[in-house]
Amino acid sequence: MKSAINSSYHLDSVDKEIIYMLMDNAKTSLAHISKNVGISTTAVHQRIKKLEQAGVIENSISFLNPRKIGYKVVSYIGVFLDQPSYYHDAVKALKEVNEVVEAHYTTGNYTIFLKVLCRDNDHLMEILNKLQKLKGVTRTETFISLEQSINRQLKV
Amino acid sequence: MKSAINSSYHLDSVDKEIIYMLMDNAKTSLAHISKNVGISTTAVHQRIKKLEQAGVIENSISFLNPRKIGYKVVSYIGVFLDQPSYYHDAVKALKEVNEVVEAHYTTGNYTIFLKVLCRDNDHLMEILNKLQKLKGVTRTETFISLEQSINRQLKV
DNA sequence: AATGAAAACCCCTCTTT
DNA sequence: AAAGAGGGGTTTTCATT
């Protein structure tokens, strides 16, 4: 059953339990989920398939822990462009910078807003220099995360 | 083999190939990885176990797509605290707000920097009101993401 | 650190209600 | 939507190099 464009998939309590288990560990077995939610493995499987087809559950991924391979600095960088028309070229250039893990076109102060991972502050300086050389970039503003106290997915 | 505190785990080219495949899809089978990297499934399995034990690869998770369940607004919110000593209490309170998916203690303008997911702008306004009632919060500054053009993990 | 073989486990389909 | 049964594939362990 496909839902109409822009309408939201309705999750019942069993769906939510299943999703939270998979959000916590993508490899949770059907048998384990089955025991927890009280329906058969087949029923769990059918629900997961439906949720995947609807796009509610997306592909599972393994996380690389940046800290463990020497990336200790998390920062957010607001980028000012003197003309918004440079946005698309800037994004194209930013995709070539591996340290940039998020880029947003935002309302508010900045034209582009970035999340950037670096090994250390020297490395961050390099990235800032690189950013400031991009066409149309007039200025950047950096927030360094000293401590990430919350990092999780949405709970509904 | 445990690495010393603060030293980085050394990844060889085979490790990296394995990690990138798992970062793309946590459920990539050992057989498939084996064919790609040219070592046996058992060897792949041993390497993955080592990487997991070292914490380089973290638990795999399934993604809930916020948009599909009606969460359309991604925003970043800088929070000003009149005293940094309120930080810990603020974090405790923020953990109770499901819409807050990241919180950072930052250098720069803001004391706390948040990533917040909301259904729509009205919902965002509710969250902003909630935040402004927290003890020590003097002001907030909001950036709404109109388009997320990059969203990925670190590549090394 | 890597291998092949065997055991244990799990996913997925089919059939039925 | 949900259940049980069975085949095929996958993970995991074991012994060996």
Side-chain angles (χ1 to χ4, degrees), chain A residues 40 42 46-47 50:
Chain A
S40 72
T42 313
Q46 282 175 3
R47 279 173 180 261
K50 248 188 94 184

Side-chain angles (χ1 to χ4, degrees), chain B residues 16-69:
Chain B
K16 287 187 187 178
E17 282 189 81
I18 293 171
I19 289 174
Y20 291 139
M21 293 186 83
L22 293 175
M23 280 166 72
D24 188 57
N25 177 5
K27 288 174 181 166
T28 312
S29 72
L30 297 179
H32 189 220
I33 297 174
S34 165
K35 272 169 210 143
N36 262 265
V37 304
I39 59 176
S40 70
T41 55
T42 313
V44 173
H45 183 238
Q46 283 175 2
R47 277 174 181 260
I48 292 175
K49 260 183 101 171
K50 245 188 95 183
L51 289 164
E52 284 173 345
Q53 278 161 6
V56 175
I57 298 178
E58 296 186 321
N59 268 357
S60 59
I61 65 162
S62 291
F63 276 114
L64 170 65
N65 184 338
R67 294 191 67 80
K68 294 284 180 176
I69 53 167

Side-chain angles (χ1 to χ4, degrees), chain B residues 144-155:
Chain B
I144 296 174
S145 171
L146 301 174
E147 180 192 87
Q148 178 153 10
S149 44
I150 297 179
N151 190 22
R152 63 188 179 192
Q153 289 198 69
L154 182 64
K155 257 208 138 171

Side-chain angles (χ1 to χ4, degrees), chain A residues 58-138:
Chain A
E58 296 188 318
N59 270 355
S60 58
I61 65 163
S62 292
F63 275 113
L64 170 65
N65 184 338
R67 294 191 66 81
K68 294 285 181 175
I69 53 166
Y71 281 68
K72 315 272 186 185
V73 176
V74 179
S75 62
Y76 291 89
I77 303 177
V79 177
F80 295 87
L81 292 184
D82 56 10
Q83 285 181 44
S85 61
Y86 290 143
Y87 172 69
H88 285 292
D89 285 341
V91 168
K92 200 182 279 183
L94 289 168
K95 282 186 176 159
E96 302 300 314
V97 182
N98 284 333
E99 290 84 352
V100 174
V101 294
E102 291 186 35
H104 301 262
Y105 185 65
T106 55
T107 66
N109 281 334
Y110 315 113
T111 319
I112 308 179
F113 194 68
L114 305 175
K115 181 173 184 175
V116 172
L117 303 182
C118 293
R119 289 186 296 276
D120 50 36
N121 286 340
D122 286 345
H123 187 195
L124 174 58
M125 287 299 286
E126 275 178 45
I127 301 300
L128 287 171
N129 283 332
K130 204 181 269 188
L131 296 178
Q132 271 144 7
K133 280 175 192 148
L134 292 184
K135 190 180 167 193
V137 171
T138 54

